[in-house]
Amino acid sequence: ALTGKIQNSGLIEVPMGIPLETIIFDIGGGIPDGKHFKAVQTGGPSGGCIPASLLHHTVEYEYLTNAGSMVGSGGMVVVDEDTCMVDMARFFLSFTQTESCGKCVPCRVGTRQMLTILEDITRGKGKPGDIEKLEQLSGLLKATSLCGLGQTAPNPVLTTLRYFREEYE
């Protein structure tokens, strides 16, 4: 499912191993209004954000995992230069936080704490130590959550921190 800041959105079927660049620019038609491509979030709400510098890589399980993302549900959300990556991480974490069953503390409490920090940052009320706290909470969620939702919920935060840290700072 190809969506976001793209000329041609919709459902596409492509072979594994196709470059991200081919999907976004040849099939998707590129970014509208002369804007520049910034990132693509792959794999659904628990996937990660892949920056323009990695567009030449192919859609393969190992590559996407190494980049901090996943194939997941097959979704791709394209964003342009105007997109705030902290807000994007907040949006996806909000979804996974709402979907948490609440059975395990790391997911139930950890996603809520992470979401609060992201909300503060997007409102201009971030404080020293927030980035480190997000990284710490992300590690705890990945290591101690009981199910795949909690284990992958930090992916949008971790990849936006990895590739777009200056936006958090």
PDB file of all heavy atoms in Angstrom, residues 65-106:
ATOM      1  N   THR A  65      15.368  -4.676   7.833  1.00  0.00           N
ATOM      2  CA  THR A  65      15.669  -4.891   9.251  1.00  0.00           C
ATOM      3  C   THR A  65      16.951  -4.164   9.646  1.00  0.00           C
ATOM      4  O   THR A  65      16.995  -3.488  10.676  1.00  0.00           O
ATOM      5  CB  THR A  65      15.783  -6.399   9.559  1.00  0.00           C
ATOM      6  OG1 THR A  65      14.540  -7.027   9.252  1.00  0.00           O
ATOM      7  CG2 THR A  65      16.114  -6.637  11.021  1.00  0.00           C
ATOM      8  N   ASN A  66      17.984  -4.276   8.826  1.00  0.00           N
ATOM      9  CA  ASN A  66      19.241  -3.586   9.122  1.00  0.00           C
ATOM     10  C   ASN A  66      19.082  -2.069   9.115  1.00  0.00           C
ATOM     11  O   ASN A  66      19.789  -1.367   9.835  1.00  0.00           O
ATOM     12  CB  ASN A  66      20.331  -3.995   8.125  1.00  0.00           C
ATOM     13  CG  ASN A  66      20.793  -5.420   8.351  1.00  0.00           C
ATOM     14  OD1 ASN A  66      20.638  -5.969   9.424  1.00  0.00           O
ATOM     15  ND2 ASN A  66      21.350  -6.022   7.317  1.00  0.00           N
ATOM     16  N   ALA A  67      18.144  -1.565   8.313  1.00  0.00           N
ATOM     17  CA  ALA A  67      17.891  -0.120   8.260  1.00  0.00           C
ATOM     18  C   ALA A  67      17.007   0.338   9.419  1.00  0.00           C
ATOM     19  O   ALA A  67      16.762   1.529   9.583  1.00  0.00           O
ATOM     20  CB  ALA A  67      17.243   0.245   6.922  1.00  0.00           C
ATOM     21  N   GLY A  68      16.491  -0.613  10.220  1.00  0.00           N
ATOM     22  CA  GLY A  68      15.653  -0.278  11.367  1.00  0.00           C
ATOM     23  C   GLY A  68      14.179  -0.370  11.077  1.00  0.00           C
ATOM     24  O   GLY A  68      13.351   0.056  11.885  1.00  0.00           O
ATOM     25  N   SER A  69      13.814  -0.928   9.937  1.00  0.00           N
ATOM     26  CA  SER A  69      12.413  -1.026   9.552  1.00  0.00           C
ATOM     27  C   SER A  69      12.029  -2.487   9.364  1.00  0.00           C
ATOM     28  O   SER A  69      12.659  -3.375   9.935  1.00  0.00           O
ATOM     29  CB  SER A  69      12.162  -0.205   8.272  1.00  0.00           C
ATOM     30  OG  SER A  69      10.771  -0.045   8.079  1.00  0.00           O
ATOM     31  N   MET A  70      11.002  -2.735   8.563  1.00  0.00           N
ATOM     32  CA  MET A  70      10.539  -4.089   8.300  1.00  0.00           C
ATOM     33  C   MET A  70       9.627  -4.099   7.088  1.00  0.00           C
ATOM     34  O   MET A  70       9.158  -3.045   6.640  1.00  0.00           O
ATOM     35  CB  MET A  70       9.793  -4.633   9.517  1.00  0.00           C
ATOM     36  CG  MET A  70       8.503  -3.889   9.811  1.00  0.00           C
ATOM     37  SD  MET A  70       7.502  -4.630  11.088  1.00  0.00           S
ATOM     38  CE  MET A  70       8.204  -3.927  12.537  1.00  0.00           C
ATOM     39  N   VAL A  71       9.367  -5.289   6.576  1.00  0.00           N
ATOM     40  CA  VAL A  71       8.380  -5.437   5.501  1.00  0.00           C
ATOM     41  C   VAL A  71       6.990  -5.324   6.114  1.00  0.00           C
ATOM     42  O   VAL A  71       6.125  -4.636   5.592  1.00  0.00           O
ATOM     43  CB  VAL A  71       8.566  -6.767   4.744  1.00  0.00           C
ATOM     44  CG1 VAL A  71       7.422  -6.988   3.762  1.00  0.00           C
ATOM     45  CG2 VAL A  71       9.896  -6.789   4.013  1.00  0.00           C
ATOM     46  N   GLY A  72       6.790  -5.991   7.244  1.00  0.00           N
ATOM     47  CA  GLY A  72       5.525  -5.894   7.974  1.00  0.00           C
ATOM     48  C   GLY A  72       4.311  -6.122   7.105  1.00  0.00           C
ATOM     49  O   GLY A  72       4.229  -7.097   6.374  1.00  0.00           O
ATOM     50  N   SER A  73       3.389  -5.197   7.145  1.00  0.00           N
ATOM     51  CA  SER A  73       2.145  -5.304   6.384  1.00  0.00           C
ATOM     52  C   SER A  73       2.310  -4.863   4.941  1.00  0.00           C
ATOM     53  O   SER A  73       1.357  -4.900   4.172  1.00  0.00           O
ATOM     54  CB  SER A  73       1.058  -4.462   7.053  1.00  0.00           C
ATOM     55  OG  SER A  73       1.434  -3.088   7.023  1.00  0.00           O
ATOM     56  N   GLY A  74       3.510  -4.423   4.581  1.00  0.00           N
ATOM     57  CA  GLY A  74       3.750  -4.008   3.202  1.00  0.00           C
ATOM     58  C   GLY A  74       3.416  -2.564   2.923  1.00  0.00           C
ATOM     59  O   GLY A  74       3.515  -2.112   1.786  1.00  0.00           O
ATOM     60  N   GLY A  75       3.032  -1.819   3.934  1.00  0.00           N
ATOM     61  CA  GLY A  75       2.693  -0.416   3.734  1.00  0.00           C
ATOM     62  C   GLY A  75       3.924   0.450   3.551  1.00  0.00           C
ATOM     63  O   GLY A  75       4.989   0.168   4.097  1.00  0.00           O
ATOM     64  N   MET A  76       3.767   1.496   2.749  1.00  0.00           N
ATOM     65  CA  MET A  76       4.816   2.496   2.562  1.00  0.00           C
ATOM     66  C   MET A  76       4.182   3.873   2.603  1.00  0.00           C
ATOM     67  O   MET A  76       3.295   4.173   1.808  1.00  0.00           O
ATOM     68  CB  MET A  76       5.530   2.310   1.225  1.00  0.00           C
ATOM     69  CG  MET A  76       6.358   1.070   1.139  1.00  0.00           C
ATOM     70  SD  MET A  76       7.369   1.087  -0.348  1.00  0.00           S
ATOM     71  CE  MET A  76       8.353  -0.353  -0.046  1.00  0.00           C
ATOM     72  N   VAL A  77       4.644   4.695   3.545  1.00  0.00           N
ATOM     73  CA  VAL A  77       4.157   6.065   3.668  1.00  0.00           C
ATOM     74  C   VAL A  77       5.319   6.989   3.281  1.00  0.00           C
ATOM     75  O   VAL A  77       6.332   7.042   3.968  1.00  0.00           O
ATOM     76  CB  VAL A  77       3.682   6.381   5.104  1.00  0.00           C
ATOM     77  CG1 VAL A  77       3.198   7.821   5.198  1.00  0.00           C
ATOM     78  CG2 VAL A  77       2.585   5.415   5.527  1.00  0.00           C
ATOM     79  N   VAL A  78       5.145   7.708   2.184  1.00  0.00           N
ATOM     80  CA  VAL A  78       6.179   8.596   1.666  1.00  0.00           C
ATOM     81  C   VAL A  78       5.974   9.990   2.248  1.00  0.00           C
ATOM     82  O   VAL A  78       4.844  10.480   2.308  1.00  0.00           O
ATOM     83  CB  VAL A  78       6.112   8.648   0.126  1.00  0.00           C
ATOM     84  CG1 VAL A  78       7.121   9.630  -0.445  1.00  0.00           C
ATOM     85  CG2 VAL A  78       6.316   7.255  -0.467  1.00  0.00           C
ATOM     86  N   VAL A  79       7.067  10.628   2.666  1.00  0.00           N
ATOM     87  CA  VAL A  79       6.979  11.992   3.184  1.00  0.00           C
ATOM     88  C   VAL A  79       7.953  12.898   2.444  1.00  0.00           C
ATOM     89  O   VAL A  79       8.989  12.446   1.954  1.00  0.00           O
ATOM     90  CB  VAL A  79       7.208  12.058   4.717  1.00  0.00           C
ATOM     91  CG1 VAL A  79       6.133  11.274   5.453  1.00  0.00           C
ATOM     92  CG2 VAL A  79       8.575  11.558   5.100  1.00  0.00           C
ATOM     93  N   ASP A  80       7.594  14.172   2.388  1.00  0.00           N
ATOM     94  CA  ASP A  80       8.434  15.142   1.690  1.00  0.00           C
ATOM     95  C   ASP A  80       9.181  16.032   2.673  1.00  0.00           C
ATOM     96  O   ASP A  80       9.095  15.851   3.889  1.00  0.00           O
ATOM     97  CB  ASP A  80       7.612  15.959   0.691  1.00  0.00           C
ATOM     98  CG  ASP A  80       6.610  16.899   1.340  1.00  0.00           C
ATOM     99  OD1 ASP A  80       6.711  17.183   2.560  1.00  0.00           O
ATOM    100  OD2 ASP A  80       5.719  17.379   0.630  1.00  0.00           O
ATOM    101  N   GLU A  81       9.887  16.977   2.138  1.00  0.00           N
ATOM    102  CA  GLU A  81      10.760  17.862   2.909  1.00  0.00           C
ATOM    103  C   GLU A  81      10.042  18.652   3.997  1.00  0.00           C
ATOM    104  O   GLU A  81      10.683  19.127   4.942  1.00  0.00           O
ATOM    105  CB  GLU A  81      11.448  18.838   1.958  1.00  0.00           C
ATOM    106  CG  GLU A  81      10.442  19.728   1.224  1.00  0.00           C
ATOM    107  CD  GLU A  81      11.037  20.474   0.052  1.00  0.00           C
ATOM    108  OE1 GLU A  81      11.133  19.890  -1.033  1.00  0.00           O
ATOM    109  OE2 GLU A  81      11.407  21.648   0.243  1.00  0.00           O
ATOM    110  N   ASP A  82       8.738  18.815   3.891  1.00  0.00           N
ATOM    111  CA  ASP A  82       7.986  19.595   4.872  1.00  0.00           C
ATOM    112  C   ASP A  82       7.548  18.797   6.096  1.00  0.00           C
ATOM    113  O   ASP A  82       7.010  19.358   7.044  1.00  0.00           O
ATOM    114  CB  ASP A  82       6.745  20.214   4.210  1.00  0.00           C
ATOM    115  CG  ASP A  82       7.096  21.222   3.141  1.00  0.00           C
ATOM    116  OD1 ASP A  82       8.180  21.826   3.228  1.00  0.00           O
ATOM    117  OD2 ASP A  82       6.284  21.394   2.207  1.00  0.00           O
ATOM    118  N   THR A  83       7.759  17.500   6.075  1.00  0.00           N
ATOM    119  CA  THR A  83       7.299  16.638   7.157  1.00  0.00           C
ATOM    120  C   THR A  83       8.258  16.696   8.346  1.00  0.00           C
ATOM    121  O   THR A  83       9.459  16.524   8.192  1.00  0.00           O
ATOM    122  CB  THR A  83       7.183  15.177   6.670  1.00  0.00           C
ATOM    123  OG1 THR A  83       6.283  15.136   5.557  1.00  0.00           O
ATOM    124  CG2 THR A  83       6.683  14.263   7.779  1.00  0.00           C
ATOM    125  N   CYS A  84       7.707  16.907   9.526  1.00  0.00           N
ATOM    126  CA  CYS A  84       8.479  16.855  10.767  1.00  0.00           C
ATOM    127  C   CYS A  84       8.591  15.390  11.179  1.00  0.00           C
ATOM    128  O   CYS A  84       7.575  14.732  11.430  1.00  0.00           O
ATOM    129  CB  CYS A  84       7.773  17.662  11.859  1.00  0.00           C
ATOM    130  SG  CYS A  84       8.507  17.441  13.494  1.00  0.00           S
ATOM    131  N   MET A  85       9.806  14.900  11.246  1.00  0.00           N
ATOM    132  CA  MET A  85      10.001  13.485  11.555  1.00  0.00           C
ATOM    133  C   MET A  85       9.688  13.147  13.010  1.00  0.00           C
ATOM    134  O   MET A  85       9.310  12.017  13.317  1.00  0.00           O
ATOM    135  CB  MET A  85      11.418  13.060  11.179  1.00  0.00           C
ATOM    136  CG  MET A  85      11.711  13.210   9.681  1.00  0.00           C
ATOM    137  SD  MET A  85      10.492  12.427   8.584  1.00  0.00           S
ATOM    138  CE  MET A  85      10.882  10.714   8.818  1.00  0.00           C
ATOM    139  N   VAL A  86       9.809  14.106  13.893  1.00  0.00           N
ATOM    140  CA  VAL A  86       9.430  13.873  15.292  1.00  0.00           C
ATOM    141  C   VAL A  86       7.914  13.696  15.360  1.00  0.00           C
ATOM    142  O   VAL A  86       7.407  12.809  16.042  1.00  0.00           O
ATOM    143  CB  VAL A  86       9.889  15.020  16.212  1.00  0.00           C
ATOM    144  CG1 VAL A  86       9.513  14.725  17.664  1.00  0.00           C
ATOM    145  CG2 VAL A  86      11.381  15.260  16.087  1.00  0.00           C
ATOM    146  N   ASP A  87       7.192  14.514  14.614  1.00  0.00           N
ATOM    147  CA  ASP A  87       5.740  14.396  14.589  1.00  0.00           C
ATOM    148  C   ASP A  87       5.312  13.082  13.944  1.00  0.00           C
ATOM    149  O   ASP A  87       4.342  12.453  14.369  1.00  0.00           O
ATOM    150  CB  ASP A  87       5.119  15.585  13.852  1.00  0.00           C
ATOM    151  CG  ASP A  87       3.624  15.672  14.083  1.00  0.00           C
ATOM    152  OD1 ASP A  87       3.199  15.586  15.258  1.00  0.00           O
ATOM    153  OD2 ASP A  87       2.880  15.816  13.096  1.00  0.00           O
ATOM    154  N   MET A  88       6.059  12.658  12.942  1.00  0.00           N
ATOM    155  CA  MET A  88       5.744  11.383  12.302  1.00  0.00           C
ATOM    156  C   MET A  88       5.928  10.233  13.293  1.00  0.00           C
ATOM    157  O   MET A  88       5.079   9.349  13.385  1.00  0.00           O
ATOM    158  CB  MET A  88       6.623  11.176  11.081  1.00  0.00           C
ATOM    159  CG  MET A  88       6.242   9.971  10.275  1.00  0.00           C
ATOM    160  SD  MET A  88       6.945  10.070   8.652  1.00  0.00           S
ATOM    161  CE  MET A  88       6.355   8.551   7.968  1.00  0.00           C
ATOM    162  N   ALA A  89       7.020  10.245  14.039  1.00  0.00           N
ATOM    163  CA  ALA A  89       7.244   9.213  15.061  1.00  0.00           C
ATOM    164  C   ALA A  89       6.134   9.256  16.106  1.00  0.00           C
ATOM    165  O   ALA A  89       5.625   8.213  16.531  1.00  0.00           O
ATOM    166  CB  ALA A  89       8.607   9.408  15.712  1.00  0.00           C
ATOM    167  N   ARG A  90       5.729  10.461  16.506  1.00  0.00           N
ATOM    168  CA  ARG A  90       4.647  10.621  17.482  1.00  0.00           C
ATOM    169  C   ARG A  90       3.348  10.023  16.956  1.00  0.00           C
ATOM    170  O   ARG A  90       2.631   9.318  17.654  1.00  0.00           O
ATOM    171  CB  ARG A  90       4.444  12.099  17.820  1.00  0.00           C
ATOM    172  CG  ARG A  90       3.362  12.332  18.887  1.00  0.00           C
ATOM    173  CD  ARG A  90       2.693  13.693  18.763  1.00  0.00           C
ATOM    174  NE  ARG A  90       2.225  14.001  17.434  1.00  0.00           N
ATOM    175  CZ  ARG A  90       1.086  13.535  16.881  1.00  0.00           C
ATOM    176  NH1 ARG A  90       0.318  12.693  17.543  1.00  0.00           N
ATOM    177  NH2 ARG A  90       0.739  13.882  15.660  1.00  0.00           N
ATOM    178  N   PHE A  91       3.049  10.285  15.681  1.00  0.00           N
ATOM    179  CA  PHE A  91       1.822   9.771  15.067  1.00  0.00           C
ATOM    180  C   PHE A  91       1.772   8.243  15.120  1.00  0.00           C
ATOM    181  O   PHE A  91       0.780   7.656  15.557  1.00  0.00           O
ATOM    182  CB  PHE A  91       1.725  10.259  13.615  1.00  0.00           C
ATOM    183  CG  PHE A  91       0.567   9.686  12.867  1.00  0.00           C
ATOM    184  CD1 PHE A  91      -0.707  10.220  13.021  1.00  0.00           C
ATOM    185  CD2 PHE A  91       0.742   8.601  12.023  1.00  0.00           C
ATOM    186  CE1 PHE A  91      -1.791   9.679  12.331  1.00  0.00           C
ATOM    187  CE2 PHE A  91      -0.337   8.056  11.331  1.00  0.00           C
ATOM    188  CZ  PHE A  91      -1.601   8.602  11.488  1.00  0.00           C
ATOM    189  N   PHE A  92       2.850   7.593  14.690  1.00  0.00           N
ATOM    190  CA  PHE A  92       2.853   6.134  14.663  1.00  0.00           C
ATOM    191  C   PHE A  92       2.908   5.532  16.062  1.00  0.00           C
ATOM    192  O   PHE A  92       2.280   4.505  16.319  1.00  0.00           O
ATOM    193  CB  PHE A  92       3.977   5.606  13.769  1.00  0.00           C
ATOM    194  CG  PHE A  92       3.664   5.788  12.313  1.00  0.00           C
ATOM    195  CD1 PHE A  92       4.396   6.656  11.533  1.00  0.00           C
ATOM    196  CD2 PHE A  92       2.614   5.101  11.718  1.00  0.00           C
ATOM    197  CE1 PHE A  92       4.103   6.843  10.193  1.00  0.00           C
ATOM    198  CE2 PHE A  92       2.298   5.276  10.374  1.00  0.00           C
ATOM    199  CZ  PHE A  92       3.051   6.147   9.614  1.00  0.00           C
ATOM    200  N   LEU A  93       3.632   6.150  16.971  1.00  0.00           N
ATOM    201  CA  LEU A  93       3.676   5.643  18.344  1.00  0.00           C
ATOM    202  C   LEU A  93       2.310   5.801  19.017  1.00  0.00           C
ATOM    203  O   LEU A  93       1.899   4.951  19.809  1.00  0.00           O
ATOM    204  CB  LEU A  93       4.759   6.329  19.168  1.00  0.00           C
ATOM    205  CG  LEU A  93       4.995   5.678  20.533  1.00  0.00           C
ATOM    206  CD1 LEU A  93       5.595   4.280  20.381  1.00  0.00           C
ATOM    207  CD2 LEU A  93       5.875   6.530  21.397  1.00  0.00           C
ATOM    208  N   SER A  94       1.596   6.852  18.667  1.00  0.00           N
ATOM    209  CA  SER A  94       0.253   7.050  19.203  1.00  0.00           C
ATOM    210  C   SER A  94      -0.649   5.876  18.821  1.00  0.00           C
ATOM    211  O   SER A  94      -1.422   5.376  19.639  1.00  0.00           O
ATOM    212  CB  SER A  94      -0.326   8.365  18.673  1.00  0.00           C
ATOM    213  OG  SER A  94      -1.666   8.503  19.048  1.00  0.00           O
ATOM    214  N   PHE A  95      -0.518   5.431  17.572  1.00  0.00           N
ATOM    215  CA  PHE A  95      -1.316   4.289  17.114  1.00  0.00           C
ATOM    216  C   PHE A  95      -0.951   3.026  17.895  1.00  0.00           C
ATOM    217  O   PHE A  95      -1.830   2.343  18.423  1.00  0.00           O
ATOM    218  CB  PHE A  95      -1.111   4.049  15.614  1.00  0.00           C
ATOM    219  CG  PHE A  95      -1.810   2.824  15.122  1.00  0.00           C
ATOM    220  CD1 PHE A  95      -3.159   2.859  14.812  1.00  0.00           C
ATOM    221  CD2 PHE A  95      -1.128   1.621  15.005  1.00  0.00           C
ATOM    222  CE1 PHE A  95      -3.817   1.725  14.370  1.00  0.00           C
ATOM    223  CE2 PHE A  95      -1.775   0.476  14.566  1.00  0.00           C
ATOM    224  CZ  PHE A  95      -3.125   0.519  14.249  1.00  0.00           C
ATOM    225  N   THR A  96       0.350   2.718  17.976  1.00  0.00           N
ATOM    226  CA  THR A  96       0.734   1.482  18.659  1.00  0.00           C
ATOM    227  C   THR A  96       0.428   1.557  20.154  1.00  0.00           C
ATOM    228  O   THR A  96       0.056   0.549  20.756  1.00  0.00           O
ATOM    229  CB  THR A  96       2.227   1.133  18.424  1.00  0.00           C
ATOM    230  OG1 THR A  96       3.039   2.242  18.766  1.00  0.00           O
ATOM    231  CG2 THR A  96       2.472   0.728  16.993  1.00  0.00           C
ATOM    232  N   GLN A  97       0.532   2.733  20.738  1.00  0.00           N
ATOM    233  CA  GLN A  97       0.198   2.885  22.165  1.00  0.00           C
ATOM    234  C   GLN A  97      -1.277   2.591  22.385  1.00  0.00           C
ATOM    235  O   GLN A  97      -1.652   1.890  23.325  1.00  0.00           O
ATOM    236  CB  GLN A  97       0.560   4.299  22.635  1.00  0.00           C
ATOM    237  CG  GLN A  97       0.647   4.465  24.130  1.00  0.00           C
ATOM    238  CD  GLN A  97      -0.699   4.683  24.793  1.00  0.00           C
ATOM    239  OE1 GLN A  97      -1.572   5.348  24.255  1.00  0.00           O
ATOM    240  NE2 GLN A  97      -0.856   4.117  25.970  1.00  0.00           N
ATOM    241  N   THR A  98      -2.123   3.068  21.509  1.00  0.00           N
ATOM    242  CA  THR A  98      -3.564   2.818  21.604  1.00  0.00           C
ATOM    243  C   THR A  98      -3.882   1.339  21.406  1.00  0.00           C
ATOM    244  O   THR A  98      -4.801   0.809  22.025  1.00  0.00           O
ATOM    245  CB  THR A  98      -4.326   3.650  20.549  1.00  0.00           C
ATOM    246  OG1 THR A  98      -4.027   5.020  20.766  1.00  0.00           O
ATOM    247  CG2 THR A  98      -5.817   3.448  20.630  1.00  0.00           C
ATOM    248  N   GLU A  99      -3.113   0.666  20.555  1.00  0.00           N
ATOM    249  CA  GLU A  99      -3.355  -0.745  20.249  1.00  0.00           C
ATOM    250  C   GLU A  99      -2.802  -1.701  21.305  1.00  0.00           C
ATOM    251  O   GLU A  99      -3.102  -2.888  21.267  1.00  0.00           O
ATOM    252  CB  GLU A  99      -2.750  -1.096  18.889  1.00  0.00           C
ATOM    253  CG  GLU A  99      -3.466  -0.444  17.724  1.00  0.00           C
ATOM    254  CD  GLU A  99      -4.917  -0.865  17.617  1.00  0.00           C
ATOM    255  OE1 GLU A  99      -5.196  -2.083  17.612  1.00  0.00           O
ATOM    256  OE2 GLU A  99      -5.784   0.029  17.558  1.00  0.00           O
ATOM    257  N   SER A 100      -2.003  -1.200  22.222  1.00  0.00           N
ATOM    258  CA  SER A 100      -1.440  -2.067  23.260  1.00  0.00           C
ATOM    259  C   SER A 100      -2.566  -2.721  24.055  1.00  0.00           C
ATOM    260  O   SER A 100      -3.519  -2.061  24.460  1.00  0.00           O
ATOM    261  CB  SER A 100      -0.559  -1.248  24.209  1.00  0.00           C
ATOM    262  OG  SER A 100      -0.161  -2.039  25.307  1.00  0.00           O
ATOM    263  N   CYS A 101      -2.440  -4.011  24.286  1.00  0.00           N
ATOM    264  CA  CYS A 101      -3.469  -4.713  25.063  1.00  0.00           C
ATOM    265  C   CYS A 101      -3.372  -4.368  26.546  1.00  0.00           C
ATOM    266  O   CYS A 101      -4.309  -4.590  27.298  1.00  0.00           O
ATOM    267  CB  CYS A 101      -3.355  -6.220  24.859  1.00  0.00           C
ATOM    268  SG  CYS A 101      -1.933  -6.974  25.679  1.00  0.00           S
ATOM    269  N   GLY A 102      -2.212  -3.853  26.960  1.00  0.00           N
ATOM    270  CA  GLY A 102      -2.028  -3.476  28.352  1.00  0.00           C
ATOM    271  C   GLY A 102      -1.592  -4.603  29.261  1.00  0.00           C
ATOM    272  O   GLY A 102      -1.431  -4.413  30.466  1.00  0.00           O
ATOM    273  N   LYS A 103      -1.384  -5.791  28.699  1.00  0.00           N
ATOM    274  CA  LYS A 103      -1.035  -6.944  29.511  1.00  0.00           C
ATOM    275  C   LYS A 103       0.352  -6.821  30.145  1.00  0.00           C
ATOM    276  O   LYS A 103       0.546  -7.200  31.296  1.00  0.00           O
ATOM    277  CB  LYS A 103      -1.102  -8.208  28.660  1.00  0.00           C
ATOM    278  CG  LYS A 103      -0.891  -9.482  29.431  1.00  0.00           C
ATOM    279  CD  LYS A 103      -1.101 -10.685  28.525  1.00  0.00           C
ATOM    280  CE  LYS A 103      -0.960 -11.975  29.312  1.00  0.00           C
ATOM    281  NZ  LYS A 103      -1.221 -13.132  28.460  1.00  0.00           N
ATOM    282  N   CYS A 104       1.315  -6.294  29.394  1.00  0.00           N
ATOM    283  CA  CYS A 104       2.656  -6.190  29.976  1.00  0.00           C
ATOM    284  C   CYS A 104       3.008  -4.728  30.257  1.00  0.00           C
ATOM    285  O   CYS A 104       2.664  -3.826  29.493  1.00  0.00           O
ATOM    286  CB  CYS A 104       3.714  -6.867  29.105  1.00  0.00           C
ATOM    287  SG  CYS A 104       4.107  -6.063  27.562  1.00  0.00           S
ATOM    288  N   VAL A 105       3.679  -4.521  31.350  1.00  0.00           N
ATOM    289  CA  VAL A 105       4.036  -3.175  31.807  1.00  0.00           C
ATOM    290  C   VAL A 105       4.929  -2.434  30.812  1.00  0.00           C
ATOM    291  O   VAL A 105       4.695  -1.261  30.550  1.00  0.00           O
ATOM    292  CB  VAL A 105       4.672  -3.230  33.211  1.00  0.00           C
ATOM    293  CG1 VAL A 105       5.187  -1.874  33.633  1.00  0.00           C
ATOM    294  CG2 VAL A 105       3.660  -3.752  34.219  1.00  0.00           C
ATOM    295  N   PRO A 106       5.946  -3.073  30.240  1.00  0.00           N
ATOM    296  CA  PRO A 106       6.812  -2.316  29.336  1.00  0.00           C
ATOM    297  C   PRO A 106       6.039  -1.644  28.207  1.00  0.00           C
ATOM    298  O   PRO A 106       6.258  -0.468  27.914  1.00  0.00           O
ATOM    299  CB  PRO A 106       7.778  -3.369  28.791  1.00  0.00           C
ATOM    300  CG  PRO A 106       7.816  -4.421  29.833  1.00  0.00           C
ATOM    301  CD  PRO A 106       6.425  -4.452  30.414  1.00  0.00           C
TER     302      PRO A 106
END
